[in-house]
Amino acid sequence: QEQLVQSGGGLVQPGGSVRLSCTASGFTLDSYAIAWFRQAPGKEREAVSCIASSGGRFYYLDSVKGRLTISRDNTKNTVYLQMNSLKPEDTGVYYCASHYIICTPDAPDFGYWGQGTQVTVSS
């Protein structure tokens, strides 16, 4: 069965860090771009970051630039989102999703989705 499995997240204090992982099962990530989306309470899902199959990186929100790093390890079939200097407004459910080769910020274009993982930034 082809799927994306997420891990990481949880409750983090402001200023803290967390790393989210997205591992492909049943297919290899080599030919896929992987994006991270966030859905904050009461808000629509928005694209946060994406890494293309070539390794090109995109950060879609000005609020996260300089604090988040997306990376991939194709040998582990996994994409990571390292989140530093977390703020309460980073709180939400984070989803990873796959798209063939290139990145796009448009959620409907993505095929496989992870199950979502909660990140709560609070003291």
Tab-separated table of all heavy atoms in Angstrom, residues 14 22 28 31 33 35 38 63 65 67 71 77 79-80 83 88 93 98 100-101 104 108 115 119 123:
chain	number	residue	atom	x	y	z
A	14	PRO	N	7.563	27.929	23.315
A	14	PRO	CA	8.020	28.981	22.407
A	14	PRO	C	9.540	29.085	22.412
A	14	PRO	O	10.163	29.033	23.483
A	14	PRO	CB	7.362	30.240	22.977
A	14	PRO	CG	6.134	29.726	23.655
A	14	PRO	CD	6.520	28.404	24.238
A	22	CYS	N	8.563	12.548	7.295
A	22	CYS	CA	7.553	12.033	6.361
A	22	CYS	C	8.220	10.928	5.567
A	22	CYS	O	9.117	11.197	4.761
A	22	CYS	CB	7.071	13.159	5.459
A	22	CYS	SG	5.901	12.669	4.173
A	28	THR	N	8.949	4.823	-3.847
A	28	THR	CA	10.176	5.554	-3.544
A	28	THR	C	9.968	7.042	-3.821
A	28	THR	O	9.266	7.432	-4.751
A	28	THR	CB	11.355	5.042	-4.387
A	28	THR	OG1	11.013	5.160	-5.780
A	28	THR	CG2	11.663	3.591	-4.087
A	31	SER	N	11.400	10.404	-7.237
A	31	SER	CA	10.794	11.173	-8.323
A	31	SER	C	9.699	12.124	-7.850
A	31	SER	O	8.963	12.677	-8.668
A	31	SER	CB	10.206	10.222	-9.369
A	31	SER	OG	11.209	9.416	-9.944
A	33	ALA	N	8.282	15.420	-5.448
A	33	ALA	CA	8.422	16.559	-4.557
A	33	ALA	C	7.549	16.293	-3.334
A	33	ALA	O	6.479	15.687	-3.447
A	33	ALA	CB	7.963	17.835	-5.252
A	35	ALA	N	5.813	18.284	-0.061
A	35	ALA	CA	5.487	19.561	0.562
A	35	ALA	C	4.936	19.333	1.962
A	35	ALA	O	4.391	18.272	2.269
A	35	ALA	CB	4.466	20.318	-0.273
A	38	ARG	N	0.191	23.229	6.522
A	38	ARG	CA	-0.211	23.463	7.904
A	38	ARG	C	-1.665	23.918	7.928
A	38	ARG	O	-2.082	24.747	7.111
A	38	ARG	CB	0.673	24.538	8.534
A	38	ARG	CG	0.286	24.943	9.942
A	38	ARG	CD	1.309	25.916	10.496
A	38	ARG	NE	1.194	27.247	9.923
A	38	ARG	CZ	2.130	28.181	10.048
A	38	ARG	NH1	3.247	27.906	10.690
A	38	ARG	NH2	1.954	29.373	9.531
A	63	SER	N	6.635	34.141	7.281
A	63	SER	CA	6.762	33.991	8.733
A	63	SER	C	7.680	32.844	9.139
A	63	SER	O	8.110	32.782	10.284
A	63	SER	CB	5.379	33.790	9.359
A	63	SER	OG	4.789	32.596	8.865
A	65	LYS	N	10.418	31.759	7.100
A	65	LYS	CA	11.727	31.834	6.463
A	65	LYS	C	12.805	32.130	7.499
A	65	LYS	O	12.658	33.015	8.341
A	65	LYS	CB	11.713	32.899	5.371
A	65	LYS	CG	10.864	32.491	4.180
A	65	LYS	CD	10.814	33.576	3.114
A	65	LYS	CE	9.921	33.135	1.950
A	65	LYS	NZ	9.805	34.188	0.910
A	67	ARG	N	13.606	30.088	9.813
A	67	ARG	CA	13.361	29.265	11.003
A	67	ARG	C	13.120	27.803	10.649
A	67	ARG	O	13.283	26.935	11.504
A	67	ARG	CB	12.147	29.793	11.773
A	67	ARG	CG	12.311	31.211	12.270
A	67	ARG	CD	11.189	31.596	13.224
A	67	ARG	NE	9.881	31.595	12.584
A	67	ARG	CZ	8.894	30.771	12.932
A	67	ARG	NH1	9.077	29.871	13.878
A	67	ARG	NH2	7.727	30.865	12.328
A	71	SER	N	14.408	19.140	4.176
A	71	SER	CA	15.484	18.339	3.612
A	71	SER	C	14.950	16.958	3.262
A	71	SER	O	13.857	16.583	3.693
A	71	SER	CB	16.655	18.230	4.595
A	71	SER	OG	16.255	17.573	5.790
A	77	ASN	N	14.146	7.243	2.223
A	77	ASN	CA	12.798	7.465	1.691
A	77	ASN	C	12.011	8.439	2.561
A	77	ASN	O	10.797	8.294	2.741
A	77	ASN	CB	12.033	6.141	1.588
A	77	ASN	CG	11.348	5.976	0.247
A	77	ASN	OD1	11.723	6.596	-0.752
A	77	ASN	ND2	10.324	5.132	0.216
A	79	VAL	N	11.490	12.651	4.068
A	79	VAL	CA	11.666	14.095	4.030
A	79	VAL	C	11.464	14.625	5.439
A	79	VAL	O	10.601	14.141	6.180
A	79	VAL	CB	10.671	14.736	3.050
A	79	VAL	CG1	10.630	16.250	3.203
A	79	VAL	CG2	11.041	14.362	1.612
A	80	TYR	N	12.259	15.631	5.785
A	80	TYR	CA	12.216	16.203	7.119
A	80	TYR	C	11.841	17.683	7.059
A	80	TYR	O	12.144	18.372	6.078
A	80	TYR	CB	13.581	16.081	7.802
A	80	TYR	CG	14.111	14.683	7.873
A	80	TYR	CD1	15.032	14.216	6.931
A	80	TYR	CD2	13.705	13.811	8.885
A	80	TYR	CE1	15.528	12.925	6.987
A	80	TYR	CE2	14.194	12.518	8.951
A	80	TYR	CZ	15.107	12.077	7.998
A	80	TYR	OH	15.598	10.792	8.053
A	83	MET	N	12.044	22.567	12.440
A	83	MET	CA	11.398	23.817	12.826
A	83	MET	C	12.081	24.352	14.073
A	83	MET	O	12.068	23.697	15.121
A	83	MET	CB	9.914	23.584	13.071
A	83	MET	CG	9.214	22.918	11.881
A	83	MET	SD	7.545	22.346	12.257
A	83	MET	CE	6.734	23.893	12.554
A	88	PRO	N	3.986	30.619	18.935
A	88	PRO	CA	2.615	30.107	19.106
A	88	PRO	C	1.829	30.064	17.789
A	88	PRO	O	1.014	29.156	17.592
A	88	PRO	CB	2.003	31.101	20.097
A	88	PRO	CG	3.164	31.557	20.914
A	88	PRO	CD	4.312	31.642	19.944
A	93	VAL	N	-1.932	21.531	12.671
A	93	VAL	CA	-1.699	20.176	12.205
A	93	VAL	C	-0.896	20.266	10.917
A	93	VAL	O	-1.287	20.972	9.980
A	93	VAL	CB	-3.020	19.421	11.960
A	93	VAL	CG1	-2.726	18.009	11.458
A	93	VAL	CG2	-3.850	19.377	13.237
A	98	SER	N	2.698	14.459	-1.467
A	98	SER	CA	3.598	14.188	-2.587
A	98	SER	C	3.042	14.725	-3.901
A	98	SER	O	1.830	14.756	-4.119
A	98	SER	CB	3.838	12.681	-2.728
A	98	SER	OG	2.637	12.017	-3.086
A	100	TYR	N	4.407	14.781	-8.212
A	100	TYR	CA	5.421	14.258	-9.117
A	100	TYR	C	6.421	15.334	-9.517
A	100	TYR	O	6.031	16.362	-10.085
A	100	TYR	CB	4.754	13.666	-10.365
A	100	TYR	CG	5.691	12.893	-11.253
A	100	TYR	CD1	6.352	11.765	-10.777
A	100	TYR	CD2	5.933	13.292	-12.563
A	100	TYR	CE1	7.214	11.053	-11.589
A	100	TYR	CE2	6.791	12.592	-13.373
A	100	TYR	CZ	7.438	11.464	-12.892
A	100	TYR	OH	8.301	10.763	-13.687
A	101	ILE	N	7.655	15.140	-9.128
A	101	ILE	CA	8.843	15.908	-9.503
A	101	ILE	C	8.893	17.343	-8.978
A	101	ILE	O	9.835	17.723	-8.278
A	101	ILE	CB	9.047	15.936	-11.035
A	101	ILE	CG1	9.227	14.514	-11.526
A	101	ILE	CG2	10.247	16.829	-11.404
A	101	ILE	CD1	9.866	14.318	-12.814
A	104	THR	N	4.643	22.713	-5.937
A	104	THR	CA	3.554	23.642	-6.150
A	104	THR	C	2.914	23.901	-4.797
A	104	THR	O	2.882	23.019	-3.953
A	104	THR	CB	2.505	23.084	-7.140
A	104	THR	OG1	1.350	23.925	-7.112
A	104	THR	CG2	2.083	21.668	-6.751
A	108	PRO	N	-4.708	20.826	-3.865
A	108	PRO	CA	-5.444	19.841	-4.675
A	108	PRO	C	-4.571	19.109	-5.691
A	108	PRO	O	-4.980	18.065	-6.208
A	108	PRO	CB	-6.494	20.699	-5.387
A	108	PRO	CG	-6.692	21.867	-4.499
A	108	PRO	CD	-5.325	22.149	-3.938
A	115	GLN	N	-0.783	11.378	7.432
A	115	GLN	CA	-1.936	11.347	8.340
A	115	GLN	C	-2.081	12.619	9.160
A	115	GLN	O	-3.107	12.816	9.812
A	115	GLN	CB	-1.826	10.126	9.279
A	115	GLN	CG	-0.872	10.302	10.457
A	115	GLN	CD	0.572	9.982	10.133
A	115	GLN	OE1	0.981	9.974	8.973
A	115	GLN	NE2	1.346	9.708	11.193
A	119	VAL	N	1.361	19.973	15.998
A	119	VAL	CA	2.423	20.744	16.634
A	119	VAL	C	1.755	21.855	17.425
A	119	VAL	O	1.010	22.661	16.862
A	119	VAL	CB	3.405	21.336	15.599
A	119	VAL	CG1	4.421	22.246	16.290
A	119	VAL	CG2	4.113	20.228	14.839
A	123	SER	N	3.514	27.721	26.158
A	123	SER	CA	4.242	27.612	27.420
A	123	SER	C	3.340	27.043	28.506
A	123	SER	O	3.774	26.860	29.646
A	123	SER	CB	4.788	28.982	27.831
A	123	SER	OG	3.738	29.931	27.896
